[in-house]
Amino acid sequence: MNAISIVELTAGAVGAVIAALVVFFFVKKRAAAEIARTQSGFDEQIRQIEAASEKELARGLKEAEVAQKAELIRQREDLERQNESRMEEVQRVEQRINQREETLDKRGESLDSKEGALERREERLGEREEKIKKEEEQYKELQDETVRKLEEVAGMTSESAKKELMDKFLEEARQDVAAEIQRMEQKAKENVQSDAVKAVALAVERYSNDHIAESVVSVVDLPSDEMKGRIIGREGRNIRALEMATGVDVIIDDTPEAVVISCFDNVRRETARLSLESLILDGRIHPGRIEDVVKKNKKEIENRIREAGEQAVFEMGLEGIHPDLVRLVGRLHYRTSYRQNALKHSLEVAHLSGMLASELRIDPTMAKRAGLLHDIGKASTHEIEGSHVQIGMDICKRYNETPEVINAIASHHEDEEANCIESVLVKAADTLSAARPGARREMVQSYIKRLEALESIAETFKGVEKCYAIQAGREIRVAVTPDEITDAQASFLARDIAKRIEEERTYPGEILVTVIRETRHTATAR
């Protein structure tokens, strides 16, 4: 039974396999036939597409050929038109050239005719020149003959006669010029002097300021002479520490209950004075304490400088000044010129400049600003090389000050010409402030030397008999010999002496030169 089942199963399986093979071959044959049909369809489509492409290509080539021929025809027409226009232009140029050639031919003919005329004129001029030469020779002979006859009649040569006439003409011209100068000066004085004196007088009258003369030493009072030993310290260490910290000389001598501080720098001297007074009040005097006190007082001095600058600017009513410039203005409080406090001088110049500007009916603000800053360079002369004028100009340029202020600084000592009214006013105010009595103190020796220098300049001129410098060197009076100097020459002599003083001497303000010529005639009644 089992064997029959296996046989049946085997037969069934074989049958299934055979059936599957039959189906497979049938499907394969049918698929091959379908593929063949599809391939033949594709080939037919490809042939159709190729045929259509060939037709399209032929049509495109034909159209391109037609378009190219049309373009060539168009370009040919353009070239023909261009050639026609160029030919017309060439014809016009040829016409112009022909016209120019004709013009040049005519000019050449004209030049030829002119050249002939010039040649004929040169011939005539040559003839006239020869004639003039002959006449000049005849004139010279006549002139020489006339001169010889005149010399015989006058009894002098022509050179001496010329010299005598020249001297006479020069003397007459000098007298006329001197008279004219005196007349013009008198007229100018009548018109200007009264107004100028009035303006200056009003400005000086409206402003009055006490002068504080600074010195190069400061005296510190001591409670007792025992304090001197404590200031000196063991082996002098305290006094050396104070001198090194402040940069001054501390002088301790036999002066009772006093110590002298000497230094040309007022800031350092004031720092040392305040420091020493603080140390004396505190009682603790040693190098460490000295350094602390000096450092503290340096800050205090800086604050005073800043406050002094701000107070000066506020007093003048000025605005927009750079803080660094304000600080430099404050430093002027500790600077002196001929023992005149620089800040007081600058304030005085600012006040006077503003008042003079008000008298002239102009805005006084710029004049005050220029007056306050005119000596700003003196605040840095010990730190920067150069004159205080150049330093002041550089500082104000750095802080973008106005051209009027810079020109006032440059011109107040005549380093440059004044180009604005503010510069003129500042120069006048600076002269007033420096020249007023008591503003500046000088040593007797320098005062005498200045007077002697002025007198020696006047004595070098011919005809001067005596001369005297008076009014602290503000005026020099010169007495001349009347037999050697005439009235006209006296006027020129005064100007020559003044010019010589301007060239050789440096001085504030003005120096009046007065030449005195006196003639006395006496007779005796018997």
Side-chain angles (χ1 to χ4, degrees), residues 55-74:
K55 291 179 180 179
E56 187 67 24
L57 179 60
R59 188 172 56 256
L61 289 174
K62 188 175 181 179
E63 291 177 354
E65 185 178 357
V66 172
Q68 186 176 5
K69 288 180 179 180
E71 181 66 21
L72 290 174
I73 293 170
R74 187 184 62 78

Side-chain angles (χ1 to χ4, degrees), residues 88-130:
E88 293 175 356
E89 182 67 24
V90 168
Q91 291 176 357
R92 288 195 295 271
V93 171
E94 288 178 352
Q95 291 177 358
R96 287 198 297 269
I97 291 173
N98 293 332
Q99 292 174 357
R100 288 185 180 180
E101 288 179 352
E102 293 176 358
T103 304
L104 290 174
D105 292 338
K106 292 179 181 179
R107 287 184 179 178
E109 294 175 357
S110 176
L111 289 174
D112 292 338
S113 62
K114 288 182 179 178
E115 186 176 357
L118 287 173
E119 291 177 354
R120 291 190 296 273
R121 187 175 181 182
E122 286 179 356
E123 292 177 358
R124 291 196 298 270
L125 289 174
E127 295 174 356
R128 292 182 62 184
E129 186 176 358
E130 292 178 359

Side-chain angles (χ1 to χ4, degrees), residues 395-406:
I395 290 173
C396 288
K397 287 179 181 177
R398 187 186 313 148
Y399 295 113
N400 298 322
E401 273 298 327
T402 60
E404 291 82 1
V405 173
I406 296 173

Side-chain angles (χ1 to χ4, degrees), residues 460-478:
T460 58
F461 288 86
K462 182 180 178 181
V464 175
E465 184 178 2
K466 295 179 182 180
C467 58
Y468 305 96
I470 60 177
Q471 294 186 7
R474 303 296 176 191
E475 181 180 356
I476 179 169
R477 294 185 179 179
V478 182

